[in-house]
Amino acid sequence: YSLQQLQKMKMELTRFMMAYEFALDQITTKIENLSQEFHYTHEYNPIEHVNSRLKSPESIFQKVLKRNLPLTLPAIEKNITDIAGVRIICSFQSDIYALKGMLERQEDVRIVEVKDYFKQPKSNGYQSLHLLLEVPVHMSSTSKKIIVEVQIRTIAMDFWASLEHKIYYKYNQAVPDRLRSELKEAADSASALDRKMEKLHLEMKEIKKTEREEEHPLELM
Ligand code: 0O2
């Protein structure tokens, strides 16, 4: 390649990555706004925390090689759906679905794929809700639809997944059987804890509702 060609490629790649950065900003702002509104109406915060990251060009390149894809921007755009990624950690499973509903109702967001690992947990015990969202990004001379991957988990499942991820990479994906079954047990315990916490949370909501009805009976008529 000539220096000029390389400079042109660099500019194209920067512009390509910029669109993902803008899409990520849009989605994180939306999530922040929805969270604040939810906090106002429900008197508690459904979101514990939010992390977002842009995949580095090196990691994108590794995924392209691993999947034997052509090294072109259109092929990357079509096949690598986690260039822009957001992870949302909620306290309760019901909040995860409430958040999904709120995102679905956003006019400029389209949910293009849903992977519900709560309904169908992975064999290792992994549970999470994965959404691929499509948002329009307007740049000076073009408008593009960009995919953002959103993973929504509970605190307990996030705790489990971060350790499992480390173990998986430590053993280069060949986790010994004993560890694998202990991890599965830990995932089941995390899931049981989630169900217990959800039940307590519902009971708490009922108590608060009854208290309000007793304090202000006329308001509810
Ligand atoms: P990393 O290092 O977190 O980026 P794809 O994203 O299309 O390549 P797949 O499996 O079709 O892969 O997508 P899926 O199921 O939506 O999973 C994508 C991401 O979810 C993973 O990204 C992980 O972040 C997370 N994930 C999925 N399964 C597991 C699991 O069993 N354990 C843990 N800890 N995390 C999981 P990457 O690129 O694999 O990894």
Side-chain angles (χ1 to χ4, degrees):
Y1 292 109
S2 70
L3 185 64
Q4 240 179 356
Q5 278 173 316
L6 285 173
Q7 271 170 345
K8 188 167 169 265
M9 276 158 68
K10 191 175 169 224
M11 267 180 67
E12 276 174 9
L13 181 64
T14 308
R15 203 188 295 273
F16 179 82
M17 292 304 292
M18 242 181 212
Y20 283 91
E21 194 184 327
F22 297 159
L24 201 56
D25 285 348
Q26 279 190 50
I27 294 294
T28 48
T29 304
K30 275 184 191 297
I31 292 165
E32 173 61 25
N33 293 350
L34 289 171
S35 168
Q36 276 192 36
E37 190 198 346
F38 190 102
H39 193 180
Y40 177 71
T41 39
H42 294 79
E43 293 173 355
Y44 79 93
N45 204 332
I47 295 178
E48 278 297 318
H49 60 268
V50 179
N51 291 326
S52 66
R53 65 106 184 91
L54 210 55
K55 215 175 184 71
S56 67
E58 291 78 12
S59 307
I60 297 174
F61 183 62
Q62 272 169 12
K63 214 162 190 171
V64 166
L65 284 184
K66 206 169 107 191
R67 291 203 190 160
N68 241 330
L69 296 169
L71 188 56
T72 63
L73 293 182
I76 293 173
E77 191 173 334
K78 187 160 175 269
N79 297 288
I80 314 273
T81 49
D82 65 344
I83 296 176
V86 184
R87 188 170 289 154
I88 307 171
I89 313 304
C90 292
S91 305
F92 308 105
Q93 247 189 48
S94 51
D95 292 338
I96 292 177
Y97 292 99
L99 202 58
K100 174 177 176 261
M102 289 188 256
L103 287 167
E104 256 161 358
R105 287 189 291 276
Q106 298 281 304
E107 268 179 19
D108 50 352
V109 174
R110 201 165 72 89
I111 299 192
V112 292
E113 191 183 288
V114 179
K115 281 192 197 161
D116 191 336
Y117 294 119
F118 286 106
K119 285 209 180 96
Q120 278 188 311
K122 285 179 63 172
S123 59
N124 60 1
Y126 180 75
Q127 295 192 25
S128 181
L129 183 71
H130 292 190
L131 309 174
L132 291 188
L133 306 182
E134 189 186 68
V135 275
V137 168
H138 308 289
M139 314 248 309
S140 62
S141 55
T142 52
S143 284
K144 277 171 91 175
K145 299 254 168 56
I146 298 286
I147 298 285
V148 177
E149 186 195 78
V150 178
Q151 300 179 352
I152 322 179
R153 303 173 180 165
T154 58
I155 304 173
M157 267 300 153
D158 187 52
F159 185 29
W160 178 90
S162 48
L163 182 63
E164 192 269 352
H165 195 264
K166 276 184 208 143
I167 294 175
Y168 189 73
Y169 279 96
K170 162 102 181 84
Y171 285 97
N172 202 13
Q173 307 177 12
V175 181
D177 282 349
R178 189 189 55 82
L179 263 183
R180 204 182 281 272
S181 75
E182 284 198 76
L183 273 171
K184 175 69 173 63
E185 267 176 37
D188 292 343
S189 305
S191 177
L193 178 63
D194 274 342
R195 282 195 300 274
K196 185 91 187 158
M197 296 302 271
E198 182 88 52
K199 192 169 159 280
L200 290 171
H201 172 62
L202 275 175
E203 279 177 26
M204 188 66 198
K205 265 193 352 202
E206 276 307 310
I207 292 169
K208 274 193 182 168
K209 198 171 150 229
T210 318
E211 274 175 6
R212 268 202 307 270
E213 282 167 3
E214 280 167 7
E215 278 169 29
H216 311 284
L218 291 178
E219 261 181 30
L220 295 153
M221 288 180 78

